[in-house]
Amino acid sequence: MTLYDLKPRFQALLRPLLRGLAGAGVTANQVTLLALLLSLALGVVLALYPDPLWFLLLPPFLFIRMALNAIDGMLAREFAQQSRLGALLNEVGDVLSDAALYLPFALLPGAAPAAVVVMVLLANLSEFVGVAGQTIGAPRRYDGPLGKSDRAFALGAYALAINLYAPALAWSGWLFWALAALSALTCLNRARAALKEPA
């Protein structure tokens, strides 16, 4: 069970907006690129100004990014916009966005940089494993326990916590090592699930 399982309900809430965007000529690839560019821009801001106050931008932005990620997929599927370029942009964009948004946690006071970097690497590896299953005939895997939405929730909550309770900055080490361990478990679960699919 991951937050990804709630995606159909979230998509239903976005459907009225989706029809308006499609009617205005907005494409899935444009939405994907917008999400990536906004993520990179915020990542640069957080890296240049590693102060907890700036990290308050992260929780609302992660929600907006989640909405954009849902919208691009729905536009592609429901309005005949699926393409090979779109599939590549979607996967590469997610990996780059995660790295841009989460690596700045390593620059915060009291951070555990090694833990942050290892977590980001393993998180990105979990997305690679999810896609790699397709090379052996399995569908794209989204198994948990720490998928993209779960990471966003955990780190958005931590960004909020360090502003509401300053000593939370000292939690960086154990939090990011725990998320790294969950990301490693996610890699294993996705690999196992892909291998169980019929050839």
Side-chain angles (χ1 to χ4, degrees):
M1 177 70 181
T2 73
L3 288 177
Y4 184 80
D5 296 316
L6 300 176
K7 189 174 181 179
R9 295 181 184 179
F10 186 55
Q11 288 176 327
L13 295 175
L14 293 172
R15 190 151 277 111
L17 174 62
L18 182 75
R19 288 191 286 269
L21 291 173
V26 175
T27 69
N29 288 354
Q30 288 171 344
V31 175
T32 304
L33 286 172
L34 176 63
L36 173 58
L37 293 174
L38 291 176
S39 298
L40 294 176
L42 179 55
V44 169
V45 170
L46 297 179
L48 291 176
Y49 305 101
D51 183 282
L53 191 61
W54 284 100
F55 280 72
L56 279 176
L57 295 172
L58 202 54
F61 177 75
L62 288 171
F63 181 81
I64 292 169
R65 181 190 164 205
M66 184 169 61
L68 292 174
N69 285 344
I71 288 169
D72 66 3
M74 294 165 71
L75 282 171
R77 287 188 304 274
E78 299 178 20
F79 293 88
Q81 296 182 17
Q82 289 177 312
S83 67
R84 297 169 69 189
L85 174 61
L88 284 174
L89 285 175
N90 186 60
E91 297 295 344
V92 173
D94 281 346
V95 169
L96 291 176
S97 295
D98 272 11
L101 293 171
Y102 302 149
L103 283 175
F105 277 99
L107 303 175
L108 282 169
V116 176
V117 172
V118 170
M119 188 284 294
V120 171
L121 289 174
L122 287 171
N124 285 345
L125 180 61
S126 72
E127 299 306 317
F128 173 77
V129 173
V131 174
Q134 296 175 314
T135 66
I136 58 172
R140 176 41 162 114
R141 301 303 313 182
Y142 296 97
D143 310 82
L146 198 70
K148 179 174 64 178
S149 300
D150 307 289
R151 286 193 300 275
F153 178 81
L155 293 173
Y158 182 57
L160 185 60
I162 61 178
N163 277 277
L164 296 177
Y165 183 65
L169 285 165
W171 304 347
S172 177
W174 70 260
L175 173 64
F176 280 94
W177 284 123
L179 293 177
L182 291 172
S183 296
L185 181 57
T186 300
C187 292
L188 289 174
N189 287 343
R190 291 182 177 185
R192 287 172 180 164
L195 289 170
K196 287 179 181 178
E197 293 286 340

